[in-house]
Amino acid sequence: MFTGIVKGQGKIVQLQDNHGTEQIRIASSSIDPENFAIGESISINGVCLTITKFRNNDFWVDAMPETLKRTTFDELQLNSLVNLEPALQVTERLNGHFLLGHVDTTAVVTKIEEQSSSKVFTFKIDSSQMPFIVEKGSIGIDGVSLTVVAVGSDWFQVALIPYTLKETILGQLKSGEKVNIETDILGKYVVKMNNEVVDYE
């Protein structure tokens, strides 16, 4: 489990296909190597993956075909930067919101607007995801916990402060690029329960 508070960035230094599974090697000097252990979970651009090997500041993960299908991982390239967050420890302060690292879908940046020192990003997303996205609600974008500031029939907006723009890869986003999206787990359960009540009646 994660909170969407990115702890550092990493760089893709090796990509290797293994019968449909992508073996990914990531180098990062911003994450304490003590957080690297075989079998440990780590969030990479919002995707929960398992560390299969590590050496100093490098670690390896495997992305299964389902992960490649649902996320932006099929577009990763050598030297691509990624957001990193080690798994939450129960003794840590809970900032952000609960993220499972189970990406629901991707969204596309359609507009970036400057507002003082911040930026407002507009994302287009499949309309089937909109029941889980509400104004002032939480959303995970490439593993970053953010607050939704506006919604439409197939789009939503978030505002990024200078710190987030600097400390995560979201500050480098350009119009037309895709991001990983994890909607709020609480919203999913509320919508599911309401639908089941309607079906039962």
Side-chain angles (χ1 to χ4, degrees):
M1 184 172 287
F2 310 94
T3 65
I5 305 300
V6 170
K7 302 298 185 182
Q9 297 181 24
K11 179 185 289 187
I12 305 297
V13 294
Q14 185 177 353
L15 291 166
Q16 183 174 338
D17 178 73
N18 183 18
H19 304 291
T21 295
E22 194 77 19
Q23 296 180 323
I24 306 168
R25 178 183 174 192
I26 299 171
S28 175
S29 59
S30 58
I31 300 293
D32 189 336
E34 291 187 2
N35 285 299
F36 299 153
I38 294 175
E40 289 284 332
S41 295
I42 191 165
S43 171
I44 303 170
N45 278 2
V47 181
C48 177
L49 293 174
T50 300
I51 295 174
T52 59
K53 187 168 80 170
F54 69 95
R55 184 180 62 214
N56 299 326
N57 293 105
D58 290 14
F59 65 94
W60 284 253
V61 295
D62 291 346
M64 304 294 286
E66 176 70 8
T67 301
L68 299 175
K69 176 183 175 182
R70 283 184 175 265
T71 73
T72 60
F73 273 34
D74 62 342
E75 299 180 2
L76 284 178
Q77 300 177 358
L78 289 179
N79 298 318
S80 292
L81 295 178
V82 292
N83 291 323
L84 299 176
E85 181 189 356
L88 176 69
Q89 295 183 348
V90 293
T91 55
E92 290 184 66
R93 181 174 294 166
L94 182 60
N95 296 299
H97 72 286
F98 281 128
L99 288 168
L100 305 181
H102 303 159
V103 169
D104 296 297
T105 187
T106 59
V108 178
V109 181
T110 58
K111 185 187 297 184
I112 303 174
E113 303 171 271
E114 300 272 356
Q115 284 193 1
S116 184
S117 58
S118 301
K119 290 184 179 180
V120 175
F121 289 74
T122 302
F123 295 91
K124 182 175 176 59
I125 192 170
D126 191 290
S127 59
S128 64
Q129 297 295 319
M130 292 312 300
F132 314 115
I133 303 174
V134 297
E135 187 174 336
K136 306 305 179 187
S138 297
I139 193 165
I141 302 178
D142 272 352
V144 182
S145 173
L146 294 168
T147 300
V148 177
V149 298
V151 297
S153 59
D154 62 354
W155 60 268
F156 67 92
Q157 291 181 328
V158 295
L160 273 63
I161 61 174
Y163 178 86
T164 306
L165 293 170
K166 177 183 177 184
E167 298 297 326
T168 75
I169 65 170
L170 299 186
Q172 303 173 34
L173 280 178
K174 297 178 178 61
S175 184
E177 292 187 331
K178 289 200 303 185
V179 295
N180 294 320
I181 299 293
E182 181 180 340
T183 55
D184 191 353
I185 185 65
L186 297 178
K188 294 174 191 173
Y189 280 117
V190 169
V191 170
K192 178 177 173 61
M193 287 188 291
N194 283 341
N195 288 341
E196 289 179 346
V197 169
V198 171
D199 291 342
Y200 179 77
E201 292 176 347

